[in-house]
């Protein structure tokens, strides 16, 4: 990736335009993966370390704690963020078939085996 923290509002908007990686709900936020790189106090990681999460799962993640949340699900969020960023770099932003097969379909087994945990969202 990049050495300097990369910031891009268009990229964040594009990430947020996708479905939640956990429930496929369509109103999402671009979640910054706080464990992806070193950061200063009150600083976010680079924008390429983002993934789409719905408001409910974004809140659940923060309530649970980033490391614990992803360990519980058996998901590597950095891998997912990398796939989204690679599409952006290739200017292949509308390749929804790739997003479906390489991201959502591959997450399905982890999601199914942790459905009870994912359904405990707090509103």
């Amino acid at each position: 990736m990049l050495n300097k923290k990369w910031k891009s509002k268009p990229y964040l908007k594009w990430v947020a335009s996708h479905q939640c990686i956990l429930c496929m709900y369509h109103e999402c936020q671009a979640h910054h993966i706080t464990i992806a790189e070193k950061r200063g106090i009150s600083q976010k990681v680079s924008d390429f370390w983002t993934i789409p999460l719905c408001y409910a799962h974004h809140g659940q993640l923060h309530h649970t704690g980033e490391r614990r949340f992803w360990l519980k699900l058996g998901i590597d969020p950095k891998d997912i963020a990398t796939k989204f960023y690679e599409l952006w770099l290739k200017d292949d932003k509308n390749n929804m078939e790739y997003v479906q097969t390489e991201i959502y379909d591959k997450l399905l087994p982890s999601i199914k085996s942790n459905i009870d945990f994912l359904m405990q969202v707090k509103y």
Side-chain angles (χ1 to χ4, degrees):
M1 290 286 174
L2 305 170
N3 290 335
K4 187 178 176 188
K5 292 210 190 284
W6 179 69
K7 300 294 176 193
S8 172
K9 287 187 182 200
Y11 180 72
L12 293 178
K13 185 176 180 180
W14 177 75
V15 169
S17 74
H18 288 83
Q19 297 172 332
C20 175
I21 63 165
L22 301 174
C23 69
M24 308 282 274
Y25 188 68
H26 224 341
E27 292 199 21
C28 289
Q29 298 171 310
H31 166 69
H32 286 83
I33 304 165
T34 60
I35 59 174
E37 67 184 13
K38 292 184 180 187
R39 59 196 177 99
I41 297 172
S42 298
Q43 290 183 338
K44 289 185 177 178
V45 297
S46 298
D47 286 347
F48 53 72
W49 292 121
T50 54
I51 54 175
L53 290 179
C54 68
Y55 293 91
H57 286 120
H58 199 182
Q60 183 183 23
L61 179 147
H62 285 290
H63 179 76
T64 305
E66 182 102 35
R67 279 188 208 288
R68 190 166 161 235
F69 185 82
W70 297 118
L71 283 172
K72 170 83 175 144
L73 295 175
I75 293 173
D76 179 1
K78 294 190 298 183
D79 180 52
I80 298 162
T82 300
K83 288 177 181 171
F84 275 107
Y85 186 64
E86 286 171 354
L87 278 175
W88 180 265
L89 283 180
K90 292 178 191 173
D91 201 22
D92 201 9
K93 298 175 196 72
N94 297 319
N95 189 342
M96 294 314 293
E97 182 178 336
Y98 175 87
V99 171
Q100 185 65 46
T101 59
E102 293 300 314
I103 299 173
Y104 295 107
D105 290 351
K106 288 185 177 178
L107 289 173
L108 199 53
S110 293
I111 292 166
K112 283 183 177 180
S113 64
N114 290 289
I115 196 72
D116 291 340
F117 173 69
L118 290 169
M119 295 301 293
Q120 296 174 7
V121 295
K122 307 234 186 301
Y123 293 95

